[in-house]
Amino acid sequence: MTATETLQKFLDGIALALMQGNFESYRDFVELPLSIITSTANLIVGTEEDLVEGFDELCDMLCCRGASEARLIGRQARFDGADRIIGHYESHYLCDGIPLIPTFYSRIWLERRDGAWKATRVHNTTSETRWPILLTRVEPNQELPMEFTQ
């Protein structure tokens, strides 16, 4: 499997867990501590309790807005060693095919731990200043940052 195929399979699992509100499944995709960088903040999700809180609040926000689909589309990824992938993707949150928020972009670092790929770091183009990220600070008409493709 290529790095981009691996990334897409990973993203499909995350999207499904979010839309089902399934924390146990979501937890399998994250290695703590998780570093999250936004356009305005450097955040660390250090504990299981913090991860649960962020997951629950994000799922609640998506549900309240009527989200029917989370579409995370891997655009490019590369292996950075046998057990590390660096890639980027775009996020679409939709209600019956209509965007709920503008598209935004993320760069992600995955590491293979005990045979499973887990996110260790995410850098996204939101302007969120805290965890949990509630996707309320997303600028419209963004472009993929050049540094995400390097």
Side-chain angles (χ1 to χ4, degrees), residues 93-113:
Y93 293 94
L94 310 165
C95 176
D96 298 327
I98 299 169
L100 294 172
I101 59 170
T103 298
F104 65 94
Y105 301 93
S106 299
R107 188 171 189 192
I108 190 166
W109 287 256
L110 303 178
E111 293 189 20
R112 189 169 15 214
R113 305 280 169 89

Side-chain angles (χ1 to χ4, degrees), residues 27-80:
R27 178 65 181 97
D28 291 340
F29 294 102
V30 177
E31 181 72 23
L32 295 176
L34 174 66
S35 171
I36 301 173
I37 302 165
T38 72
S39 297
T40 56
N42 292 328
L43 310 168
I44 299 290
V45 180
T47 68
E48 184 95 9
E49 293 78 24
D50 291 340
L51 189 63
V52 168
E53 176 187 4
F55 177 84
D56 288 346
E57 288 195 32
L58 179 57
C59 288
D60 288 348
M61 185 274 305
L62 291 171
C63 182
C64 288
R65 289 190 178 191
S68 57
E69 182 180 4
R71 192 178 302 159
L72 308 178
I73 302 170
R75 291 298 178 199
Q76 183 180 20
R78 65 178 170 80
F79 285 101
D80 187 36

Side-chain angles (χ1 to χ4, degrees), residues 90-93 99 101-105 125 138-143:
E90 52 188 63
S91 297
H92 305 269
Y93 293 94
I101 59 170
T103 298
F104 65 94
Y105 301 93
T125 58
V138 181
E139 297 298 322
N141 304 317
Q142 294 182 39
E143 293 185 20

Side-chain angles (χ1 to χ4, degrees), residues 12-14 16-18 20-30 55 118:
D12 291 345
I14 289 275
L16 182 62
L18 282 172
Q20 292 178 341
N22 184 340
F23 177 77
E24 290 75 24
S25 178
Y26 178 82
R27 178 65 181 97
D28 291 340
F29 294 102
V30 177
F55 177 84
K118 298 185 180 271

Side-chain angles (χ1 to χ4, degrees), residues 36 38 43 54 58 61 124 126 128 130-135:
I36 301 173
T38 72
L43 310 168
L58 179 57
M61 185 274 305
N124 69 46
T126 71
E128 298 291 344
R130 68 178 193 94
W131 176 262
I133 289 176
L134 298 179
L135 303 177

